Amino acid sequence: MTMPFGYVSPEQVMKDRADYARKGIARGRAVLVMTYADGILFVAENPSSALHKISEIYDRIGFAAVGKYNEFENLRVAGVRMADLRGYSYDRRDVTGRALANTYAQILGTIFSSGGDKPFEVEITVAEVGETSATDQLYRLTYDGSVADEQDIVVMGGSADSIGNALREGHRADLPLDEGLRLAVSALTNADGENREIAAASLEVAILDRTRPRRTFRRLPDAAVAQSLGAS
Amino acid sequence: MDLSDGLTLPAAFFMPGTSSFSDFLANHSPDLLPGKRLQAGVASMTVEAPHGTTIVAIAHTTGVILAGDRRATMGNVIAQRDMEKVFQADEYSAVGIAGTAGVAVELVRLFQVELEHYEKIEGVTLSLEGKANRLSLLIRNNLPMAMQGLAVVPMFAGYDLEVTDPAAAGRIFSYDVTGGRYEERKFHSVGSGSVYARGALKKLYRDDFSESDAVLSSVHALYDAADDDAATGGPDLTRRIYPVITSVTAAGFRRLGDDEVAGITEQVVNERMEHPGGPQAPLQ
């Protein structure tokens, strides 16, 4: 039997698509998500103060992403709509990170394996803060729709491995916020053995703080970040 | 690319260009919008449903307070004696409702989600006028129901972060059933007992009111409303049911605790033992 002209095996197609997406994601600066004593900390190197990589989805759910802005922004807005619709038609407590992660997985998976479109060049973390640190959830979603339920730390984007290793060395479940933030920033600045300076103004920092009532998401202003970093 | 192709979420979830939750609902599930459930053939029927009554708002030197009585009535029956009619809208605003209770509570819920939704999608909060206009639109959408007798008349009060002088930052907006929006100066009241409450405030209000003066005069105003309007509930000391009082200042929204309101209410009731008509304004 002869192969038709231009035949490419499905394995090759999927591999090409995966390579394409991975390259796009690794180009960007890293975003990290980690648990600390009172909740979940998000840190991203992001010189823009208007185009966010980290955002609030619902009372206890946060969103972090790397890759192409327009693609993850689309997913973020859909997530906010889904969460608000669910909270409005049922109850605020019925909005869960798991449901959101599942929906994102379906969307990403369908786009990855559908023939025509290019895959999304994004990686996403959906974080849900629990009543206690034992019930904190971190879901990591990759461009092909795979979901992983991660423990304590997720690093996405460029130099993810090196930053992840540095974080895992210093991480404890009872880490206070200040200390957690210093650990995160030192892991970002020392990624891949280089030693760069990152000004507080080019860091995007937010937390899901379980001690706050109702909406737990809060952005930390530059001044607060600089103060935490200075007080070492 | 059309993200909704064969996906778990319909196209409305990916529609660009709108930051409004009610626009999204209108597109995706219009049956969830209050006021969209009017069915053909029932337009001439009227429904008897619980009604909420009196709300007062008073601006003061550091912000604004919004307070309401606790009674809901259905005809001559007290439908509920501990209903809450004043709610937090967002971090810097509050909304109180008079009119058909069921529709009003749903409208407030939608309004709260509307403000939060905008804030999450845009990354900034709406201006105070923006919030007030949005509420206007939600009321206008309820007009068909209002014509059936299920009218909602809210009052909106908030702290305007763009105003530098705190004495001018507490602002009050009232509405009519068609969604007409009117900014009120200093104080206002809506609901069946509002005529009496407004009369009381007219005599009590001073330009240099502090927050606690405003709170005290709101309890007096609600007492006067309950005194002359059967549908407004007075303080119920035996069941410990007091007015709901909320305050919005530069520090954000705060609902006064039950103990705090209990103290003020008992003080007002004791004063009324001496003077049933309340504090007397100087004649000259």
Short mmCIF file of all heavy atoms in Angstrom, two decimals, chain B residues 27-54:
data_model
loop_
_atom_site.label_atom_id
_atom_site.label_comp_id
_atom_site.label_asym_id
_atom_site.label_seq_id
_atom_site.Cartn_x
_atom_site.Cartn_y
_atom_site.Cartn_z
N ASN B 27 -27.87 37.05 27.39
CA ASN B 27 -27.41 36.32 26.22
C ASN B 27 -27.48 34.81 26.43
O ASN B 27 -27.89 34.06 25.56
CB ASN B 27 -25.94 36.73 25.99
CG ASN B 27 -25.49 36.47 24.60
OD1 ASN B 27 -25.98 35.52 23.98
ND2 ASN B 27 -24.59 37.29 24.11
N HIS B 28 -27.07 34.39 27.62
CA HIS B 28 -26.87 32.96 27.87
C HIS B 28 -28.09 32.29 28.51
O HIS B 28 -28.52 31.23 28.07
CB HIS B 28 -25.65 32.76 28.75
CG HIS B 28 -25.45 31.34 29.18
ND1 HIS B 28 -25.20 30.35 28.28
CD2 HIS B 28 -25.50 30.76 30.39
CE1 HIS B 28 -25.09 29.19 28.94
NE2 HIS B 28 -25.27 29.42 30.21
N SER B 29 -28.63 32.88 29.57
CA SER B 29 -29.80 32.27 30.22
C SER B 29 -30.75 33.36 30.71
O SER B 29 -30.79 33.67 31.90
CB SER B 29 -29.37 31.35 31.36
OG SER B 29 -28.30 31.90 32.06
N PRO B 30 -31.49 33.95 29.75
CA PRO B 30 -32.36 35.09 30.09
C PRO B 30 -33.40 34.75 31.15
O PRO B 30 -33.88 35.65 31.83
CB PRO B 30 -33.02 35.44 28.75
CG PRO B 30 -32.70 34.35 27.82
CD PRO B 30 -31.51 33.63 28.32
N ASP B 31 -33.73 33.47 31.30
CA ASP B 31 -34.73 33.12 32.30
C ASP B 31 -34.26 33.39 33.73
O ASP B 31 -35.05 33.41 34.66
CB ASP B 31 -35.12 31.64 32.16
CG ASP B 31 -33.89 30.75 32.17
OD1 ASP B 31 -32.91 31.10 31.50
OD2 ASP B 31 -33.91 29.71 32.85
N LEU B 32 -32.94 33.59 33.90
CA LEU B 32 -32.44 33.89 35.24
C LEU B 32 -32.56 35.37 35.60
O LEU B 32 -32.30 35.76 36.73
CB LEU B 32 -30.96 33.47 35.37
CG LEU B 32 -30.70 31.97 35.50
CD1 LEU B 32 -29.22 31.69 35.54
CD2 LEU B 32 -31.36 31.41 36.75
N LEU B 33 -32.92 36.20 34.62
CA LEU B 33 -33.05 37.63 34.89
C LEU B 33 -34.39 37.94 35.52
O LEU B 33 -35.41 37.49 35.01
CB LEU B 33 -32.92 38.43 33.59
CG LEU B 33 -31.54 38.63 33.02
CD1 LEU B 33 -31.64 39.34 31.68
CD2 LEU B 33 -30.68 39.44 33.96
N PRO B 34 -34.40 38.72 36.60
CA PRO B 34 -35.69 39.11 37.14
C PRO B 34 -36.40 39.97 36.08
O PRO B 34 -35.76 40.71 35.37
CB PRO B 34 -35.35 39.95 38.38
CG PRO B 34 -33.89 40.11 38.41
CD PRO B 34 -33.27 39.35 37.29
N GLY B 35 -37.68 39.87 35.97
CA GLY B 35 -38.39 40.72 35.02
C GLY B 35 -38.51 40.10 33.64
O GLY B 35 -39.18 40.64 32.78
N LYS B 36 -37.84 38.98 33.40
CA LYS B 36 -37.93 38.35 32.08
C LYS B 36 -38.91 37.17 32.09
O LYS B 36 -39.00 36.43 31.15
CB LYS B 36 -36.54 37.86 31.62
CG LYS B 36 -35.64 38.98 31.18
CD LYS B 36 -36.05 39.50 29.80
CE LYS B 36 -35.71 40.96 29.58
NZ LYS B 36 -34.35 41.25 29.32
N ARG B 37 -39.62 37.00 33.22
CA ARG B 37 -40.44 35.79 33.33
C ARG B 37 -41.92 36.05 33.11
O ARG B 37 -42.75 35.22 33.37
CB ARG B 37 -40.25 35.17 34.71
CG ARG B 37 -38.89 34.62 34.88
CD ARG B 37 -38.77 33.87 36.17
NE ARG B 37 -37.41 34.02 36.65
CZ ARG B 37 -37.07 34.84 37.60
NH1 ARG B 37 -37.97 35.56 38.22
NH2 ARG B 37 -35.82 34.93 37.97
N LEU B 38 -42.21 37.26 32.63
CA LEU B 38 -43.60 37.60 32.43
C LEU B 38 -44.17 36.74 31.31
O LEU B 38 -43.65 36.74 30.21
CB LEU B 38 -43.69 39.07 32.05
CG LEU B 38 -45.05 39.69 32.25
CD1 LEU B 38 -45.39 39.71 33.71
CD2 LEU B 38 -45.04 41.08 31.69
N GLN B 39 -45.24 36.02 31.59
CA GLN B 39 -45.79 35.16 30.56
C GLN B 39 -47.03 35.77 29.96
O GLN B 39 -47.77 36.47 30.63
CB GLN B 39 -46.10 33.79 31.14
CG GLN B 39 -44.82 33.03 31.43
CD GLN B 39 -45.08 31.69 32.05
OE1 GLN B 39 -46.22 31.28 32.18
NE2 GLN B 39 -44.02 31.02 32.42
N ALA B 40 -47.21 35.48 28.69
CA ALA B 40 -48.40 36.01 28.01
C ALA B 40 -49.64 35.49 28.72
O ALA B 40 -49.69 34.33 29.14
CB ALA B 40 -48.38 35.56 26.56
N GLY B 41 -50.65 36.34 28.85
CA GLY B 41 -51.90 35.89 29.43
C GLY B 41 -52.04 36.17 30.92
O GLY B 41 -53.12 36.17 31.45
N VAL B 42 -50.90 36.42 31.59
CA VAL B 42 -51.02 36.72 33.02
C VAL B 42 -50.87 38.21 33.27
O VAL B 42 -50.91 38.66 34.40
CB VAL B 42 -49.99 35.95 33.87
CG1 VAL B 42 -50.23 34.48 33.77
CG2 VAL B 42 -48.58 36.31 33.48
N ALA B 43 -50.71 38.97 32.18
CA ALA B 43 -50.40 40.39 32.33
C ALA B 43 -51.47 41.15 33.11
O ALA B 43 -51.20 42.15 33.74
CB ALA B 43 -50.18 41.03 30.97
N SER B 44 -52.71 40.66 33.06
CA SER B 44 -53.75 41.41 33.73
C SER B 44 -53.96 40.95 35.17
O SER B 44 -54.70 41.56 35.92
CB SER B 44 -55.06 41.28 32.95
OG SER B 44 -55.39 39.90 32.88
N MET B 45 -53.33 39.86 35.53
CA MET B 45 -53.48 39.36 36.90
C MET B 45 -52.60 40.16 37.85
O MET B 45 -51.52 40.61 37.49
CB MET B 45 -53.03 37.90 36.97
CG MET B 45 -54.08 36.91 36.54
SD MET B 45 -53.36 35.29 36.36
CE MET B 45 -52.62 35.03 37.94
N THR B 46 -53.03 40.30 39.08
CA THR B 46 -52.12 40.85 40.07
C THR B 46 -51.87 39.78 41.12
O THR B 46 -52.72 38.95 41.42
CB THR B 46 -52.69 42.11 40.75
OG1 THR B 46 -53.99 41.80 41.22
CG2 THR B 46 -52.74 43.26 39.77
N VAL B 47 -50.67 39.81 41.64
CA VAL B 47 -50.25 38.79 42.60
C VAL B 47 -50.10 39.46 43.95
O VAL B 47 -49.62 40.59 44.02
CB VAL B 47 -48.87 38.22 42.18
CG1 VAL B 47 -48.54 37.00 43.01
CG2 VAL B 47 -48.86 37.92 40.71
N GLU B 48 -50.48 38.79 45.00
CA GLU B 48 -50.22 39.36 46.31
C GLU B 48 -48.95 38.74 46.86
O GLU B 48 -48.82 37.52 46.95
CB GLU B 48 -51.39 39.09 47.26
CG GLU B 48 -51.35 40.06 48.43
CD GLU B 48 -52.58 39.95 49.33
OE1 GLU B 48 -53.53 39.27 48.95
OE2 GLU B 48 -52.54 40.56 50.39
N ALA B 49 -47.99 39.59 47.17
CA ALA B 49 -46.69 39.11 47.65
C ALA B 49 -46.22 40.05 48.75
O ALA B 49 -46.65 41.20 48.82
CB ALA B 49 -45.70 39.10 46.49
N PRO B 50 -45.32 39.58 49.61
CA PRO B 50 -44.84 40.43 50.70
C PRO B 50 -44.18 41.71 50.19
O PRO B 50 -43.49 41.71 49.17
CB PRO B 50 -43.80 39.55 51.41
CG PRO B 50 -44.17 38.16 51.05
CD PRO B 50 -44.76 38.22 49.68
N HIS B 51 -44.42 42.80 50.91
CA HIS B 51 -43.83 44.09 50.59
C HIS B 51 -42.91 44.56 51.69
O HIS B 51 -43.25 44.47 52.87
CB HIS B 51 -44.93 45.14 50.39
CG HIS B 51 -45.42 45.19 48.99
ND1 HIS B 51 -46.06 44.13 48.40
CD2 HIS B 51 -45.33 46.18 48.06
CE1 HIS B 51 -46.36 44.47 47.16
NE2 HIS B 51 -45.93 45.70 46.92
N GLY B 52 -41.77 45.09 51.27
CA GLY B 52 -40.86 45.70 52.24
C GLY B 52 -41.17 47.17 52.32
O GLY B 52 -41.75 47.73 51.39
N THR B 53 -40.79 47.81 53.42
CA THR B 53 -41.24 49.19 53.58
C THR B 53 -40.14 50.24 53.68
O THR B 53 -39.56 50.59 52.67
CB THR B 53 -42.25 49.28 54.71
OG1 THR B 53 -41.79 48.47 55.79
CG2 THR B 53 -43.58 48.77 54.27
N THR B 54 -39.83 50.75 54.88
CA THR B 54 -39.13 52.03 54.92
C THR B 54 -37.61 51.94 55.01
O THR B 54 -37.07 51.19 55.84
CB THR B 54 -39.66 52.85 56.12
OG1 THR B 54 -41.07 52.82 56.07
CG2 THR B 54 -39.18 54.27 56.06
#
